[in-house]
Amino acid sequence: METVSINRSQGGVQGVYRHQSNVCACPMTFSVFVPDHPDGGKLPVLWYLSGLTCTHANVTEKGEFRRAASEHGIIIVCPDTSPRGDGIADEDDYRMGIGAGMYVDATEAPWSANYQMARYIEGELPDLVFANFPADDDREAIFGHSMGGHGALITALKNPDRYRSCSAFAPICNPMAADWTRGAFAAYLGSDEQAWRRYDASTLIADGAKFSEFLVDQGSADEFLETGLMPDRLASACKDAGIPLTLNMREGYDHSYYFISTFMADHIAWHAERLKR
Amino acid sequence: METVSINRSQGGVQGVYRHQSNVCACPMTFSVFVPDHPDGGKLPVLWYLSGLTCTHANVTEKGEFRRAASEHGIIIVCPDTSPRGDGIADEDDYRMGIGAGMYVDATEAPWSANYQMARYIEGELPDLVFANFPADDDREAIFGHSMGGHGALITALKNPDRYRSCSAFAPICNPMAADWTRGAFAAYLGSDEQAWRRYDASTLIADGAKFSEFLVDQGSADEFLETGLMPDRLASACKDAGIPLTLNMREGYDHSYYFISTFMADHIAWHAERLKR
């Protein structure tokens, strides 16, 4: 693991790191914020998954998460959204390829060679983080935005005993049903939609996956609300399955970091409460 | 005045606007954050001047000022750091030309045609803002970072009855004395250093300029501390002149937005107290 940069910020250290990923077969960059803490102590970890077109850098620079993370004593890790670099398969469409890994393990060529984001987020990156940072592997939570909100929801639903809490900003709630995301699923996972079901939060819940509860914030002025995000699908699936969902519709807010940063501290406080139980 | 973008954020509206500047003879872009407020009400205005290489966008995206601005009910305006565009004089040196207006009115060709940043910040832009936003022209304060900290200090010292308070993050305190900045002063103002004195905070104070008090935060790990910023010169000038200066040295912090954003809320609260007196 190589250190790209280190900056002191908000009573902690914001680092950016790079390592050679085995599962993605390329170098991957990620950021870690570690609040000041007693020597030898371990802190809970909150994973933040970013949306389409983002790298680790967008939320690290614009997410306004460090003050609340320091206040609550939580490490925040922000991975990249896909493998990237020369020789990595890509497509001239922001909804698939580089910057759009969809947090799935691709089974179809050429994507399967590198696009193994589920295994990366659930396995390889946590192993690296727990080995190199004062992070408590018994206290994990996960959240994210848009495609990363989708990533957080499915990762929690696939691992209900591992993550203590899960929240999302404007998540893609039912990617199998949205024209917006079906292209990427078909490319990464093939035409048999049975293989898509484990990567779709609303479908996972309909198929019996459980989680303790979800917190979702959604802007009412979000340009992707109806065609891509569909929080009503998640609400309906949670209701049928008896999973508590707090869905806050935020009047006038859009899909940008101006929206995310506004509700960031609320989400971190909500996770902190659950990570400390 | 043209609206470039509008985003709801932190209980207010973050806008970006463009207008044709007469004094800079080119289109200029700036951002304004207006917290929600009662209809017909006017809010105090806090001007933020940015550092070398920045536009309005850096602090607008990374400065983390909106939450505190909303809490205290203060409008924050972030101008650009220089004229810019095709046909604007420039130099292949980040310390002068585009992105480096130094908040002076240039007298030397070719700079004098556009680089009129003092008149722009003190006159033309406030006129535009007070005409178009719910901003109270009787309650102004000013702050900034690095070159913009220098800008805030000199603007306050030149107008002690206008700005109610002035603070800075890692300001350039004595640009006439720093090799780092002498090149830009010579280019913009000519070789007679008498003409430089009204644009140098430490020299203005030595020459008799007054201001109520200053707040300065400075990172101890700032790479420009000794060669460019020289807060000891400001401290010494303030001491001799009897101007109260609170100079906070912040252990381990550098020159980046990771530093600025950490102390942003403190500075806004400090200005709010003085704007409400």
Side-chain angles (χ1 to χ4, degrees), chain B residues 54-145:
Chain B
C54 290
T55 69
H56 70 282
N58 305 67
V59 73
T60 303
E61 295 175 357
K62 303 194 282 192
E64 305 193 11
F65 60 75
R66 279 174 289 274
R67 175 166 291 229
S70 265
E71 188 185 328
H72 296 289
I74 294 176
I75 289 173
I76 297 194
V77 185
C78 306
D80 204 344
T81 53
S82 78
R84 65 179 71 231
D86 291 346
I88 304 295
D90 195 16
E91 188 75 59
D92 189 19
D93 176 346
Y94 75 98
R95 294 167 299 186
M96 55 185 294
I98 291 175
M102 291 299 287
Y103 304 103
V104 306
D105 291 331
T107 53
E108 304 303 297
W111 311 102
S112 53
N114 304 97
Y115 286 76
Q116 299 294 320
M117 288 301 290
R119 292 159 63 203
Y120 180 70
I121 296 296
E122 293 172 38
E124 187 179 32
L125 184 60
D127 287 349
L128 187 78
V129 165
F130 292 123
N132 288 281
F133 296 90
D136 181 353
D137 64 6
D138 194 39
R139 286 183 293 164
E140 290 181 87
I142 191 162
F143 68 155
H145 170 239

Side-chain angles (χ1 to χ4, degrees), chain B residues 211-226:
Chain B
F211 200 74
S212 50
E213 60 178 326
F214 295 116
L215 168 66
V216 171
D217 274 77
Q218 172 64 57
S220 73
D222 189 320
E223 62 269 44
F224 305 109
L225 181 54
E226 303 298 337

Side-chain angles (χ1 to χ4, degrees), chain A residues 176-244:
Chain A
M176 291 178 65
D179 288 343
W180 203 46
T181 38
R182 289 178 56 87
F185 270 36
Y188 296 153
L189 304 170
S191 56
D192 179 0
E193 296 191 19
Q194 283 301 317
W196 303 9
R197 300 184 73 87
R198 66 191 304 264
Y199 295 122
D200 180 301
S202 299
T203 304
L204 274 166
I205 295 170
D207 287 350
K210 296 288 181 198
F211 201 73
S212 51
E213 60 178 324
F214 295 116
L215 167 66
V216 171
D217 274 77
Q218 171 64 56
S220 72
D222 189 320
E223 61 269 44
F224 304 110
L225 182 53
E226 303 297 337
T227 53
L229 306 176
M230 305 182 180
D232 52 313
R233 305 289 183 101
L234 180 67
S236 163
C238 284
K239 189 175 173 206
D240 291 347
I243 297 175

Side-chain angles (χ1 to χ4, degrees), chain B residues 147-168:
Chain B
M147 177 183 76
H150 144 78
L153 293 170
I154 62 171
T155 304
L157 285 162
K158 289 190 283 166
N159 302 277
D161 298 328
R162 171 171 173 183
Y163 300 96
R164 300 219 187 164
S165 50
C166 173
S167 76

Side-chain angles (χ1 to χ4, degrees), chain B residues 165-186:
Chain B
S165 50
C166 173
S167 76
F169 306 105
I172 301 174
C173 294
N174 192 185
M176 291 178 66
D179 287 342
W180 202 47
T181 38
R182 288 177 57 85
F185 271 36

Side-chain angles (χ1 to χ4, degrees), chain B residues 149-267:
Chain B
H150 144 78
L153 293 170
I154 62 171
T155 304
L157 285 162
K158 289 190 283 166
N159 302 277
D161 298 328
R162 171 171 173 183
Y163 300 96
R164 300 219 187 164
S165 50
C166 173
S167 76
F169 306 105
I172 301 174
C173 294
N174 192 185
M176 291 178 66
D179 287 342
W180 202 47
T181 38
R182 288 177 57 85
F185 271 36
Y188 297 153
L189 304 169
S191 56
D192 179 0
E193 296 192 17
Q194 284 303 317
W196 304 9
R197 301 184 72 86
R198 66 191 303 262
Y199 296 122
D200 179 303
S202 299
T203 305
L204 273 166
I205 295 169
D207 286 351
K210 297 287 180 199
F211 200 74
S212 50
E213 60 178 326
F214 295 116
L215 168 66
V216 171
D217 274 77
Q218 172 64 57
S220 73
D222 189 320
E223 62 269 44
F224 305 109
L225 181 54
E226 303 298 337
T227 53
L229 306 175
M230 304 182 183
D232 52 314
R233 307 287 185 102
L234 179 68
S236 163
C238 283
K239 190 177 173 201
D240 291 349
I243 297 175
L245 165 69
T246 302
L247 172 58
N248 299 314
M249 289 298 292
R250 301 297 189 176
E251 188 61 31
Y253 285 86
D254 60 25
H255 201 65
S256 70
Y257 283 90
Y258 292 110
F259 157 67
I260 301 171
S261 59
T262 300
F263 301 103
M264 179 60 80
D266 293 352
H267 279 237

Side-chain angles (χ1 to χ4, degrees), chain A residues 7-11 14 60-62 64 66-67 251-254 256 258-259 261-262 265, chain B residues 7-11 14 60-62 64 66-67 251-254 256 258-259 261-262 265:
Chain A
N7 297 87
R8 183 148 182 80
S9 192
Q10 301 279 11
Q14 180 63 64
T60 303
E61 296 176 357
K62 304 194 281 191
E64 304 192 15
R66 280 176 288 273
R67 175 165 291 229
E251 189 62 31
Y253 285 86
D254 61 26
S256 70
Y258 293 110
F259 156 66
S261 60
T262 300
Chain B
N7 296 87
R8 183 148 183 81
S9 192
Q10 301 280 10
Q14 179 62 64
T60 303
E61 295 175 357
K62 303 194 282 192
E64 305 193 11
R66 279 174 289 274
R67 175 166 291 229
E251 188 61 31
Y253 285 86
D254 60 25
S256 70
Y258 292 110
F259 157 67
S261 59
T262 300

